[in-house]
Amino acid sequence: MFALRRAAVAVAPVAARASVRPFSVMGARLSGAVSAESIEKNLGPGGQAGQVPTDLEQATGLERIELLAKLEGKEFFDMEPLNMTHIGTVKNPIVVKSHDNVRFVGCTGYPAESHDTIWISLDKSHDNDRCPECGSVFTMDFVGSEDDHHH
């Protein structure tokens, strides 16, 4: 049985074997999408030889930015629920801050918990986004940097 399996692999067409490729990020690095300054800023020094590195030493990217903010006594990501004091309208929408171009918001209606959670994708390119259940209008306040490339 094993001999048959080996024979089948040996005669398999090259196209069938070539369709399985390893995941690689070299294209993004070489394309200029990530600048050398942002790489240096987002990389930790690494661990010393023979020692277990700390979280700060081995953290990279957004995790490193979050850890550095916590060392300063700040929270980089706002994890508090939205303060739904009113139902959002086009003239008075619920404003959601975001460091990214797209952010997902869970709407539970007004007053709170008046319907099941519906996830809405807020996009920086949209003026407003609306909950299909209660009609509440949300808008994004983009507080991120256009230079950040968090993929």
Side-chain angles (χ1 to χ4, degrees):
M1 179 172 158
F2 292 113
L4 292 175
R5 180 178 273 173
R6 284 188 198 139
V9 170
V11 295
V14 174
R17 285 182 278 159
S19 65
V20 178
R21 296 181 299 205
F23 177 77
S24 175
V25 295
M26 287 303 292
R29 287 189 178 178
L30 297 176
S31 69
V34 180
S35 67
E37 298 97 32
S38 67
I39 290 174
E40 293 297 322
K41 181 177 76 173
N42 290 331
L43 290 178
Q48 302 298 322
Q51 295 181 357
V52 177
T54 64
D55 288 343
L56 188 59
E57 289 174 336
Q58 68 181 355
T60 60
L62 284 175
E63 180 185 9
R64 182 165 176 79
I65 293 171
E66 182 181 16
L67 287 172
L68 291 172
K70 285 186 179 186
L71 286 175
E72 295 177 6
K74 301 175 184 174
E75 283 291 329
F76 185 73
F77 295 109
D78 182 12
M79 300 302 286
E80 295 296 318
L82 288 173
N83 188 8
M84 295 285 288
T85 57
H86 64 285
I87 191 161
T89 63
V90 174
K91 292 183 180 177
N92 189 15
I94 304 293
V95 179
V96 179
K97 293 184 180 185
S98 177
H99 288 273
D100 203 357
N101 294 333
V102 176
R103 178 163 178 186
F104 292 96
V105 175
C107 179
T108 61
Y110 181 80
E113 306 296 330
S114 60
H115 63 70
D116 289 338
T117 303
I118 295 180
W119 294 98
I120 304 162
S121 173
L122 300 183
D123 195 315
K124 184 180 120 178
S125 63
H126 300 165
D127 291 335
N128 296 311
D129 292 288
R130 185 181 295 269
C131 174
E133 181 73 21
C134 66
S136 187
V137 177
F138 298 87
T139 189
M140 180 189 293
D141 179 15
F142 182 70
V143 295
S145 172
E146 295 292 336
D147 298 334
D148 288 343
H149 299 284
H150 302 297
H151 298 294

